[in-house]
């Protein structure tokens, strides 16, 4: 049912005129009932002129979104003409009036809503006086019009909340894409720069190393392009042909390949795990991969380190990630950093985790420590 409602809402947003025509037809069907059911003797006859004039109160609903106040005035005018000029069947509810009051409340600015309220305060008692002069009818009419107005304001509030939520979701998605692109490009370009700088020296001293460096550059570039196509492929329009792969983002299973590429750039990477390795949600695995990737990228770019240690600890309902190096350590205050370290903290926070960056053990080198809560195996299975 929810899927059908969302689909109907999407179709209505894409074809508002069709929706308005459908509403007008429904109202027309409702006002037709008193003209087709048998009527007791002594009541007003159901004549074709009366039916035609009553139909004129419905036709303006087709333009209710474009000019709601003008449609309201047209409905009031035709309803008054019907009551004063003809003696036709009455209606149990002012259907067209209720629809347009709801529309004004949902779509119009405050001054138009205020003018509509003043107009109804005058028009409803006049209509009751021309009809039955009954206090009961007056109370009922004021109630149903007030309810239509309240429902319109609630619809407007819900639509505003949905727009705000959609804008926030879009902002979060833009931030996520920016982090992904930063991590992919920063990692690939950093390794390619290191290999390219080492290439000319290797050509003169060790040609076989130069060949390996150029192979590493091309492999790193191809891997970065593949990840970018995988990430950006889902942003394409569905009706546009797209050959981009739709595989999930890399997770912990892709860590060995990542570490091999980093080792190819000349950094010795020592990798180890603690605890019983268990299945992780795809989102947690992708986050862990990106955090390790960003930490090693910073090491390659800034640390001038020879060795880096990557250690993952499983257990205690969390995944602990620790990346340390023996480089020159932080050049800024502990806990600060560029966009990369900010992205590490944001990724950890997105899963309810924490990230700490700063000097390594005994004040040497640099260290990134991240703790991400991991759900239990039954929750992962769900």
């Amino acid at each position: 049912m929810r899927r059908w409602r969302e689909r109907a809402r999407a179709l209505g947003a894409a074809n508002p005129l069709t929706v308005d025509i459908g509403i007008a037809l429904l109202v027309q069907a409702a006002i037709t009932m008193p003209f087709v059911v048998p009527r007791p003797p002594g009541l007003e006859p159901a004549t074709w002129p009366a039916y035609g004039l009553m139909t004129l109160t419905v036709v303006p609903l087709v333009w209710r979104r474009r000019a709601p106040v003008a449609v309201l005035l047209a409905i009031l005018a035709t309803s008054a003409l019907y009551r004063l000029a003809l003696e036709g069947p009455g209606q149990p509810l002012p259907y067209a009036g209720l629809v347009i009051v709801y529309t004004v409340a949902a779509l119009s600015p405050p001054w138009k809503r205020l003018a509509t309220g003043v107009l109804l305060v005058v028009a409803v008692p006049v209509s009751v006086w021309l009809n039955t002069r009954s206090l009961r009818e007056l109370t009922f009419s004021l109630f149903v019009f007030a309810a239509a107005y309240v429902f319109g304001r609630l619809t407007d509030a819900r639509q505003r909340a949905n727009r705000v939520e959609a804008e926030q979701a879009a902002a979060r998605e833009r931030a996520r894409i920016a982090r992904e692109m930063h991590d992919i490009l920063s990692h690939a370009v950093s390794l390619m720069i290191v290999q390219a700088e080492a290439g000319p020296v290797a050509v003169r001293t060790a040609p076989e190393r130069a060949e390996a460096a150029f192979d590493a550059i091309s492999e790193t570039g191809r891997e970065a392009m593949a990840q970018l196509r995988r990430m950006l492929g889902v942003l394409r329009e569905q009706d546009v042909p797209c050959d981009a792969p739709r595989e999930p983002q890399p997770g912990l299973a892709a860590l060995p390949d990542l570490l091999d590429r980093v080792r190819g750039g000349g950094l010795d990477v020592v990798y180890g795990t603690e605890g019983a390795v268990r299945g992780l949600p795809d989102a947690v695995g992708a986050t862990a991969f990106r955090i390790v990737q960003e930490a090693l990228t910073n090491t390659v770019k800034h640390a001038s380190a020879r060795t880096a240690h990557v250690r993952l600890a499983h257990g205690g309902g969390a995944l602990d990630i620790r990346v340390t190096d023996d480089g020159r350590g932080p050049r800024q205050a502990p806990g600060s950093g560029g966009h990369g370290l900010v992205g590490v903290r944001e990724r950890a926070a997105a899963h309810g985790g924490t990230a700490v960056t700063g000097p390594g053990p005994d004040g040497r080198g640099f260290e990134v420590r991240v703790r991400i809560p991991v759900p239990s195996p039954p929750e992962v299975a769900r």
Side-chain angles (χ1 to χ4, degrees), residues 18-298:
T18 303
V19 174
D20 292 340
I21 293 175
I23 291 175
L25 292 176
L26 287 176
V27 174
Q28 182 67 26
I31 69 167
T32 303
M33 295 301 173
F35 288 89
V36 297
V37 298
R39 301 182 59 76
L43 296 180
E44 297 85 352
T47 63
W48 283 108
Y51 182 73
L53 188 55
M54 180 61 70
T55 300
L56 289 180
T57 66
V58 179
V59 173
L61 290 178
V62 175
W63 296 276
R64 69 186 186 94
R65 297 177 195 261
R66 302 179 186 180
V69 175
V71 171
L72 173 64
L73 294 176
I75 291 174
L76 289 176
T78 53
S79 298
L81 183 62
Y82 178 84
R83 177 55 57 188
L84 296 174
L86 293 173
E87 288 292 336
Q91 296 290 330
L93 283 173
Y95 301 105
L98 294 176
V99 171
I100 194 57
V101 168
Y102 167 87
T103 303
V104 171
L107 302 180
S108 296
W111 70 269
K112 289 186 178 181
R113 298 199 303 268
L114 178 61
T116 299
V118 173
L119 185 60
L120 289 177
V121 169
V122 175
V124 170
V126 171
S127 174
V128 173
W129 185 80
L130 292 175
N131 189 24
T132 63
R133 303 184 183 183
S134 168
L135 179 61
R136 179 179 179 181
E137 182 183 357
L138 176 62
T139 304
F140 178 75
S141 299
L142 291 175
F143 172 78
V144 294
F145 278 109
Y149 183 88
V150 170
F151 286 145
R153 295 308 303 147
L154 290 176
T155 300
D156 179 60
R158 186 178 68 251
Q159 291 174 346
R160 289 175 181 270
N162 291 340
R163 286 195 294 269
V164 171
E165 183 179 357
E167 292 171 358
Q168 292 175 346
R172 290 193 297 268
E173 185 65 11
R174 287 193 297 268
R176 185 193 67 81
I177 294 174
R179 287 196 302 267
E180 295 288 342
M181 294 187 66
H182 171 274
D183 291 350
I184 294 171
L185 294 177
S186 178
H187 174 74
V189 172
S190 298
L191 293 182
M192 293 167 70
I193 290 174
V194 170
Q195 296 286 1
E197 290 176 343
V201 178
V203 167
R204 295 190 295 269
T205 59
E208 66 282 357
R209 290 184 56 193
E211 182 179 353
F214 294 138
D215 289 341
I217 290 174
S218 62
E219 178 63 25
T220 301
R222 282 194 295 268
E223 176 64 21
M225 290 299 297
Q227 291 192 39
L228 287 175
R229 284 196 301 269
R230 186 160 56 235
M231 180 183 67
L232 299 179
V234 297
L235 301 180
R236 304 230 181 164
E237 295 289 341
Q238 294 184 356
D239 55 350
V240 176
C242 178
D243 297 327
R246 301 299 179 91
E247 294 87 354
Q249 289 292 317
L252 293 184
L255 268 183
D257 294 335
L258 170 66
L259 302 183
D260 288 341
R261 289 195 300 271
V262 175
R263 293 186 185 107
L267 179 65
D268 183 21
V269 181
V270 180
Y271 176 58
T273 62
E274 296 178 3
V277 179
R278 56 180 176 144
L280 297 175
D282 292 341
V284 175
T287 295
F289 177 89
R290 294 301 184 197
I291 288 173
V292 173
Q293 183 185 56
E294 179 58 33
L296 292 177
T297 300
N298 287 337

